[in-house]
Amino acid sequence: MSLTDVTAAPAVTTGPRAHVVGPVDEVPPGEGRAFVAGDTQVAVFRLRDGSLHATQAACPHAGGPLADGQTDVNVLVCPLHLYAYRWSDGSSTSGETPIRTYPVRERDGYLVVEV
């Protein structure tokens, strides 16, 4: 082993990091739940079609708890003022500030969110 092998710094990654946030069973079909992924609060939804979606936990309009919102395969509706956001890109259907969405997947029965 040479000196450069010992002092070489590991590569720095700057992209999203995957976080296990909880068991998939904590999110009933058709509902959402709030979790923390790293140091980021997220809302994770398991739709009745089996798909998973993740977004920021608070609505950008007035901070409403998005995990308590109503959703279908196309949009998430904030429970406070009923602003709707598209799952496809986080944009608002009414022109409000978009929400941030995160990749989410199931692995071995657990939810994995990339933030």
Side-chain angles (χ1 to χ4, degrees):
M1 178 183 304
S2 73
L3 183 58
T4 54
D5 292 333
V6 174
T7 59
V12 176
T13 58
T14 58
R17 298 190 60 169
H19 300 276
V20 176
V21 297
V24 171
D25 293 344
E26 276 192 25
V27 185
E31 295 187 20
R33 292 290 184 269
F35 295 96
V36 175
D39 59 356
T40 303
Q41 294 185 344
V42 297
V44 177
F45 289 82
R46 183 163 65 142
L47 304 188
R48 294 190 187 284
D49 69 356
S51 64
L52 296 169
H53 297 275
T55 184
Q56 63 193 63
C59 179
H61 170 249
L66 290 176
D68 294 338
Q70 298 293 311
T71 186
D72 64 20
V73 295
N74 297 313
V75 296
L76 166 64
V77 179
C78 176
L80 286 188
H81 298 101
L82 306 181
Y83 287 113
Y85 301 94
R86 294 177 187 90
W87 283 124
S88 59
D89 60 3
S91 65
S92 168
T93 61
S94 60
E96 293 295 319
T97 302
I99 58 172
R100 187 168 187 170
T101 59
Y102 302 103
V104 59
R105 65 183 183 280
E106 178 183 355
R107 185 177 67 201
D108 299 328
Y110 288 89
L111 296 164
V112 178
V113 179
E114 293 181 30
V115 296

